[in-house]
Amino acid sequence: MSTSRKTVVADHLREALARGEYGPGERLPGEEELAEQLDVSRATARLGMRILQDEGRIAIRAGRGAFVADHRPIVHLATPVTGGGDSERFKAGYQPHLRESGYHQVQEKVKVSLDTMRPKVAKRLRHEVGEAARGDLVVIRSSDRFVEGGLWQSQVTYFPYDIAGNTPLMSPEPLEEGVTAVLRSLGLREEWNWDIVGARMPSQSEADSFGLGPGIPLLVQERVVYEGERPLRFTETVMPANRHQLLYSGGEAPEELLVLASDVNIFER
């Protein structure tokens, strides 16, 4: 069973998916059928199918066969865009956007805690850990978004205690007007930000929480927002790469941008 032969099987299936021969959720040919069609052994066909399973393209279910994974990712509004709200605002941006895309059960669970700054958070907020005890504290707002009952996206925002302490930002209730509006009410203006987006493989606990199969990475978007040179918050959004694609826009984008971008699928060939 050479690597080249199992790669032939994987390439055959990958091309069939690219041509649209099998749609999301549709059952693929079995090992025996593939083996006969491609003149390989059943064991080689099985290894080839596992390559696509590791890529997250198919799901192999014991006793039932192999099925095409749903690779129709939702557009994640990485920045506010014309015609759509910021994804950081759940009811004004994230929830209606997913419902317009055909998802009906879209819920958010918010949790707030107070903790000392981890080195990573202190670095993002440009804070020297080890100063006055209160200066080391950070207010943490965690937001888990669930779609059709499954965890879809996790977003955590860290605020220095001297900004968020004893303010509405510490309320465990959703912020209807959004973080930006709350900060503005506190006399703080979000003037500019930087984002970094990368991909990494999930830990086992993350894979279990998101219900991810083998080979599916997580997209991680980090954002630090400033007023002048002062960091106001650090937000980290974690999302399965097979369910999300990030939308940025620049210049004077048209009103229909969100509609146009919602029809884009990076898995198309």
Side-chain angles (χ1 to χ4, degrees):
M1 291 179 290
S2 67
T3 300
S4 61
R5 298 304 291 166
K6 69 180 181 182
T7 300
V8 167
V9 176
D11 289 344
H12 171 80
L13 290 173
R14 202 179 289 112
E15 290 298 324
L17 295 178
R19 291 192 299 268
E21 293 182 14
Y22 304 96
E26 192 171 344
R27 191 178 186 279
L28 292 168
E31 296 171 5
E32 187 173 357
E33 183 177 345
L34 278 174
E36 182 177 350
Q37 183 179 357
L38 301 175
D39 193 25
V40 298
S41 68
R42 286 189 61 176
T44 299
R46 185 182 310 119
L47 290 175
M49 297 175 79
R50 285 180 179 171
I51 290 176
L52 264 69
Q53 177 181 244
D54 289 344
E55 294 176 359
R57 302 299 305 274
I58 69 174
I60 299 176
R61 301 168 186 166
R64 297 181 58 195
F67 298 81
V68 181
D70 190 348
H71 268 261
R72 292 175 294 177
I74 191 74
V75 168
H76 170 74
L77 302 179
T79 56
V81 301
T82 303
D86 193 332
S87 69
E88 293 181 0
R89 289 182 296 154
F90 180 71
K91 286 193 174 181
Y94 193 82
Q95 187 181 58
H97 175 51
L98 263 73
R99 285 182 172 168
E100 288 170 6
S101 300
Y103 296 97
H104 304 292
Q105 297 180 29
V106 186
Q107 300 172 315
E108 180 183 48
K109 293 183 179 179
V110 177
K111 182 174 68 175
V112 177
S113 59
L114 188 65
D115 204 349
T116 55
M117 287 192 185
R118 294 185 290 112
K120 174 181 175 178
V121 176
K123 183 178 180 180
R124 300 296 188 271
L125 295 176
R126 293 165 56 190
H127 179 86
E128 294 295 331
V129 177
E131 297 173 357
R134 174 161 289 191
D136 288 348
L137 292 177
V138 63
V139 174
I140 306 171
R141 288 189 64 88
S142 302
S143 170
D144 286 339
R145 278 89 180 265
F146 296 84
V147 176
E148 312 299 355
L151 182 61
W152 193 264
Q153 184 185 88
S154 180
Q155 192 172 83
V156 183
T157 300
Y158 303 86
F159 303 90
Y161 183 83
D162 60 1
I163 287 177
N166 300 314
T167 74
L169 294 171
M170 292 191 69
S171 169
E173 300 299 322
L175 301 174
E176 301 295 341
E177 68 274 37
V179 168
T180 300
V182 173
L183 288 173
R184 191 184 304 119
S185 72
L186 298 174
L188 300 167
R189 293 178 57 231
E190 295 189 339
E191 296 177 339
W192 65 281
N193 64 272
W194 58 256
D195 283 26
I196 286 182
V197 179
R200 63 172 174 80
M201 297 307 296
S203 66
Q204 187 59 56
S205 62
E206 288 175 323
D208 293 341
S209 295
F210 283 107
L212 300 179
I216 301 177
L218 294 173
L219 287 177
V220 181
Q221 177 191 17
E222 292 191 1
R223 171 176 296 169
V224 180
V225 182
Y226 294 77
E227 179 183 58
E229 298 184 358
R230 181 189 186 187
L232 300 180
R233 63 181 175 95
F234 161 45
T235 298
E236 181 179 61
T237 305
V238 179
M239 46 202 143
N242 65 328
R243 301 176 194 164
H244 297 81
Q245 49 195 10
L246 276 60
L247 173 62
Y248 290 83
S249 66
E252 298 182 5
E255 286 287 339
E256 63 269 21
L257 169 64
L258 186 57
V259 176
L260 294 172
S262 295
D263 195 38
V264 173
N265 187 335
I266 61 170
F267 293 101
E268 294 174 335
R269 292 183 60 184

